[in-house]
Amino acid sequence: MNTQRILSHFHESAELKIQAASQLSHPIAQAVELMFTALSNGSRILACGNGGSAADCQHFSAQLVGRFERERLPLPVMALTTDTSILTAIGNDYSYQEIFSKQVQAFGQPGDILLALSTSGNSANIIAAIEAARERDMHVVALTGKGGGAIEKLLTDADVHICVPHDRTSRIKEVHLLTLHCLCDGIDVALFGGDEND
């Protein structure tokens, strides 16, 4: 691979992040507020996604149960992507479409947040999880791209949609990761005050 192609990846990623910053800063701030309120009230965040988005869910959960950039008490965040026995049992006995929705039905409580990641906005099992969250009186924070797909139509004014303005999956995922870091930082500051180094 020549260096020009590598540079083009860096430039495209940087340009998208700069372009998306003003468009996404408001919904990200809304998501922080929604998550802060839930966590302050003893509720929790359940996260789901497929493939790389599953890894992002686990990364987000690890940073809040463990730590992001400061020492603090653990926060109740659960990635619904990690229990292989649950995932394979539901996938085998029911369908892959229900691997997250059944967990939302089992673990979700009114006031909890569902963090739903789908770069296309059309993942059937994420849509099913959102529908299950709605039945449980949970709020949804959805991270999508490509115009938001079918997920955009499912969300209400009580939910938050963070839709990356791009069609390339790799670029969308890069902005999703930055968004998750913004959420972690925002939650830390909202719960525990300004930067510990200030």
Side-chain angles (χ1 to χ4, degrees):
M1 176 180 273
N2 63 40
T3 57
Q4 188 57 46
R5 186 174 181 88
I6 294 167
L7 287 170
S8 73
H9 281 290
F10 275 83
H11 291 158
E12 186 178 78
S13 181
E15 287 164 8
L16 173 59
K17 286 170 182 167
I18 291 168
Q19 172 201 340
S22 58
Q23 183 175 329
L24 300 184
S25 59
H26 181 64
I28 291 171
Q30 288 180 308
V32 168
E33 183 63 28
L34 199 63
M35 291 177 171
F36 163 70
T37 300
L39 294 168
S40 296
N41 291 330
S43 296
R44 60 185 168 178
I45 301 168
L46 308 179
C48 60
N50 295 289
S53 295
D56 287 342
C57 291
Q58 291 161 218
H59 179 61
F60 178 74
S61 176
Q63 289 177 319
L64 291 181
V65 174
R67 68 177 179 203
F68 179 53
E69 293 181 333
R70 62 194 299 176
E71 293 297 335
R72 51 139 168 82
L73 294 172
L75 299 173
V77 181
M78 176 188 299
L80 303 181
T81 55
T82 59
D83 190 321
T84 54
S85 293
I86 289 176
L87 295 172
T88 55
I90 294 171
N92 183 65
D93 296 346
Y94 299 93
S95 73
Y96 188 75
Q97 183 170 324
E98 298 181 66
I99 61 171
F100 300 131
S101 59
K102 284 198 175 292
Q103 293 187 75
V104 171
Q105 291 167 346
F107 303 126
Q109 298 294 323
D112 287 348
I113 304 290
L114 178 69
L115 175 62
L117 280 70
S118 171
T119 55
S120 69
N122 292 315
S123 303
N125 56 9
I126 303 300
I127 290 169
I130 292 171
E131 291 169 342
R134 186 82 62 243
E135 293 168 2
R136 303 292 290 173
D137 198 22
M138 297 168 60
H139 294 295
V140 177
V141 174
L143 273 63
T144 69
K146 304 182 183 182
I151 286 175
E152 182 181 26
K153 299 174 180 63
L154 291 176
L155 302 176
T156 70
D157 291 340
D159 302 316
V160 178
H161 188 195
I162 302 168
C163 181
V164 179
H166 209 274
D167 290 328
R168 189 171 182 178
T169 299
S170 59
R171 298 289 91 91
I172 294 166
K173 294 190 65 52
E174 289 159 7
V175 177
H176 280 184
L177 180 58
L178 178 57
T179 297
L180 294 175
H181 287 165
C182 289
L183 294 175
C184 290
D185 177 66
I187 289 167
D188 275 1
V189 170
L191 283 172
F192 304 106
D195 191 294
E196 64 181 1
N197 297 319
D198 286 348

